[in-house]
Amino acid sequence: MYTQGLDQKDKHAASGQAIAESAEQLAAFQERIDAEEKIEAKDWMPEAYRRTLIRQISQHAHSEIIGMQPEGNWLTRAPSLKRKVILLAKIQDEAGHGLYLYAAAETLGVSRDQMVGDLLSGKAKYSSIFNYPTLTWADIGAIGWLVDGAAIMNQIPLCRCSFGPYARAMVRVCKEESFHQRQGFDILVTLSRGNDAQKAMMQDAFDRWWWPSLMMFGPSDTDSKHSAQSMAWKIKRISNDELRQKFVDATVPQAEFLGLKVPDEDLRLNAKTGHYEFGEIDWQEFLDVIAGNGPCNKQRLAKRQKAHADGAWVREAAQAYASKQAARAAA
Ligand code: BYC
């Protein structure tokens, strides 16, 4: 556990020990939130606020890291040098997002080792979406368009999150996600102008990624156990269902532009509200995937564990170098 630089109270909080929080402290904290002040790492905060942020930011970081795998699967098979370079740059961005997010979570007193350990042991969650396979090149287009598109929808409000380090990290992440979304859409625009087999490949990818993309926003508002408190603390600004609706409203016209049929017989535009109504999400599938039983959960975790083990020598070399530099500075 990283506790250097934290005062005694923070050390207790970081170690999970109960600390007394007075009604006055809690009220003053909520006043700061209501006044739209940013909370910074060294400010007083309720222990539950700290824990909620560590949970959400670390899950977000893990999603970026695990999320490199489905696309990495296509790096060696990208259809041209140009597509390969673009995809490589996108995947490297995702690694960068993971690193900013781990750093933002570390400011709350949790160590990188602890977070990575929780991911590798299977204890920590990461986004459900990355447990689906990438079967064809069209899946790479679908991920950029739908998955990064859903991520932007969720992350733009996080730029106004009450916790400063998370909000600031999100600004750059969102700019990069916007490029990712465009690269995915561009792949699909190209396929939409292709032959019948390419169009069919694109429709097949869309059929498989549509519903899991809607699940990315989390359970419905009535089943979302953290939403009420996270909204009161202005960690979340817009509810899971509202964001999902915004995503559907923005994406259906893009699907039409691409000549795709949305795989939902219940989808229709409500002329009165101006919103698309859509069918019931298979919540059992969502629960199965987040419980570790999706199509690729085991494969994703095994690959991450192997990558971590294979990287041990890099960590050891960096440690040895840092020790040598410290010894030189002390001499
Ligand atoms: N998958 O009370 P709720 C990317 C969990 S990566 C798995 O609504 P909350 C990209 C939730 O954690 C972008 N688990 O929770 C990278 C909670 O479980 P615990 C990823 C999910 O936190 C590479 C429980 O269900 N984006 O763009 O208020 C390549 C109850 O849910 C999911 C983020 O991580 C899910 N889909 O709201 C390409 C965004 N949904 O913790 C692209 C940051 C819910 O109690 N996170 N759960 O065990 C958030 O905004 C929020 O955490 C959520 C959930 C909206 C996801």
Side-chain angles (χ1 to χ4, degrees):
M1 172 89 41
Y2 171 83
T3 51
Q4 207 185 352
L6 300 177
D7 64 22
Q8 198 53 39
K9 186 183 61 186
D10 289 334
K11 282 183 184 168
H12 279 293
S15 67
Q17 289 174 33
I19 47 164
E21 293 174 345
S22 70
E24 288 78 18
Q25 279 175 312
L26 293 171
F29 179 79
Q30 192 61 46
E31 256 175 46
R32 292 192 62 195
I33 298 278
D34 294 343
E36 295 291 337
E37 278 182 41
K38 284 276 177 267
I39 307 300
E40 298 299 337
K42 290 196 170 174
D43 295 350
W44 186 87
M45 62 184 77
E47 178 52 15
Y49 177 83
R50 183 193 302 273
R51 276 202 312 267
T52 296
L53 282 166
I54 291 175
R55 176 185 64 77
Q56 178 166 329
I57 301 172
S58 62
Q59 285 177 5
H60 194 162
H62 301 328
S63 304
E64 303 282 358
I65 298 300
I66 296 283
M68 291 192 283
Q69 291 187 33
E71 291 173 296
N73 183 35
W74 277 87
L75 271 176
T76 53
R77 289 172 290 162
S80 69
L81 180 61
K82 188 175 151 205
R83 291 288 185 203
K84 189 193 286 266
V85 171
I86 295 170
L87 184 59
L88 189 58
K90 180 204 189 290
I91 296 171
Q92 286 174 336
D93 283 351
E94 309 299 359
H97 299 174
L99 299 187
Y100 317 145
L101 287 162
Y102 283 131
E106 280 176 303
T107 69
L108 291 157
V110 62
S111 72
R112 178 91 55 109
D113 282 349
Q114 171 80 47
M115 290 184 277
V116 171
D118 286 349
L119 173 64
L120 296 178
S121 71
K123 184 175 163 209
K125 286 197 172 74
Y126 57 85
S127 183
S128 49
I129 193 78
F130 302 116
N131 293 304
Y132 291 86
T134 39
L135 304 179
T136 68
W137 174 249
D139 289 34
I140 302 305
I143 290 184
W145 172 42
L146 298 173
V147 176
D148 288 273
I152 297 172
M153 204 52 99
N154 165 276
Q155 287 168 187
I156 294 280
L158 289 176
C159 297
R160 292 187 295 120
C161 164
S162 57
F163 185 57
Y166 192 27
R168 290 189 290 273
M170 280 302 107
V171 174
R172 176 163 175 180
V173 168
C174 283
K175 285 184 184 160
E176 292 176 351
E177 298 291 20
S178 157
F179 146 63
H180 300 168
Q181 200 263 358
R182 290 289 296 276
Q183 68 85 36
F185 195 69
D186 187 63
I187 289 172
L188 297 181
V189 168
T190 304
L191 290 176
S192 75
R193 293 175 183 152
N195 60 27
D196 286 351
Q198 287 168 315
K199 287 178 189 163
M201 180 169 77
M202 175 171 76
Q203 180 67 53
D204 170 63
F206 185 49
D207 291 347
R208 287 181 288 105
W209 289 93
W210 173 251
W211 290 105
S213 298
L214 299 192
M215 293 175 197
M216 278 180 77
F217 295 93
S220 68
D221 292 351
T222 43
D223 294 328
S224 167
K225 58 184 170 177
H226 300 296
S227 276
Q229 185 58 73
S230 288
M231 301 275 280
W233 278 330
K234 300 191 179 177
I235 293 173
K236 282 169 99 160
R237 297 276 179 166
I238 306 183
S239 81
N240 297 0
D241 284 337
E242 275 178 273
L243 285 172
R244 193 169 6 249
Q245 183 67 55
K246 273 164 147 320
F247 175 75
V248 172
D249 289 343
T251 310
V252 171
Q254 295 169 0
E256 282 164 5
F257 175 83
L258 291 169
L260 289 168
K261 183 179 177 319
V262 181
D264 178 358
E265 291 306 325
D266 296 322
L267 184 87
R268 56 186 53 83
L269 182 64
N270 181 327
K272 272 198 198 132
T273 62
H275 295 298
Y276 283 93
E277 291 168 358
F278 52 96
E280 185 63 24
I281 290 171
D282 183 348
W283 290 116
Q284 191 53 52
E285 176 181 323
F286 172 72
L287 293 174
D288 287 345
V289 173
I290 66 172
N293 301 317
C296 299
N297 295 58
K298 291 181 183 60
Q299 176 188 331
R300 299 285 184 248
L301 207 55
K303 199 160 185 180
R304 189 66 233 145
Q305 286 161 343
K306 182 175 183 309
H308 190 74
D310 289 349
W313 70 271
V314 180
R315 292 188 295 278
E316 281 160 24
Q319 288 281 8
Y321 181 71
S323 308
K324 220 153 79 180
Q325 294 292 96
R328 258 195 218 143

